[in-house]
Amino acid sequence: MEEIMKNLNYQPSKLTGHELTNPFTVITDFFDNNALHEVREKLWELYTGWVNSSYDFAEGKENADMLSLYTQLINVLNATYIANETNKTKN
């Protein structure tokens, strides 16, 4: 666990010791309390809100980076959902 935290350049968070050693509890809680389609929708709203508020100062590369990050976050969200559902069936 120490090596994982070192690789993450870990900084204090609100995760408990139990959650740090059992991250699926956090993931399961997240998906139990949030519908996947609603999370995707809210993430899109966050992205479009950033685009709308940054039009005065953001350059093309920044916009492209934010769109790339949005796309990657959706992929991570989907993969995490799959991993969580698969983990549920194993237990």
Side-chain angles (χ1 to χ4, degrees), residues 21-83:
T21 57
N22 299 287
F24 269 106
T25 60
V26 177
I27 295 167
T28 300
D29 184 55
F30 177 82
F31 286 112
D32 285 348
N33 292 296
N34 298 281
L36 184 58
H37 70 280
E38 290 175 0
V39 175
R40 288 187 194 124
E41 193 174 297
K42 289 176 184 177
L43 188 55
W44 176 251
E45 289 174 19
L46 285 171
Y47 168 72
T48 57
W50 180 86
V51 168
N52 290 331
S53 69
S54 69
Y55 70 90
D56 285 337
F57 64 86
E59 297 180 11
K61 181 173 178 352
E62 261 185 302
N63 286 325
D65 289 347
M66 285 299 286
L67 181 57
S68 176
L69 177 63
Y70 165 79
T71 303
Q72 290 173 29
L73 285 172
I74 291 294
N75 288 341
V76 167
L77 179 68
N78 291 337
T80 305
Y81 178 80
I82 292 166

Side-chain angles (χ1 to χ4, degrees), residues 1-7 16-23:
M1 182 63 145
E2 184 178 328
E3 188 64 25
I4 292 171
M5 294 304 169
K6 181 180 169 186
N7 289 338
T16 66
H18 173 75
E19 291 168 337
L20 287 169
T21 57
N22 299 287

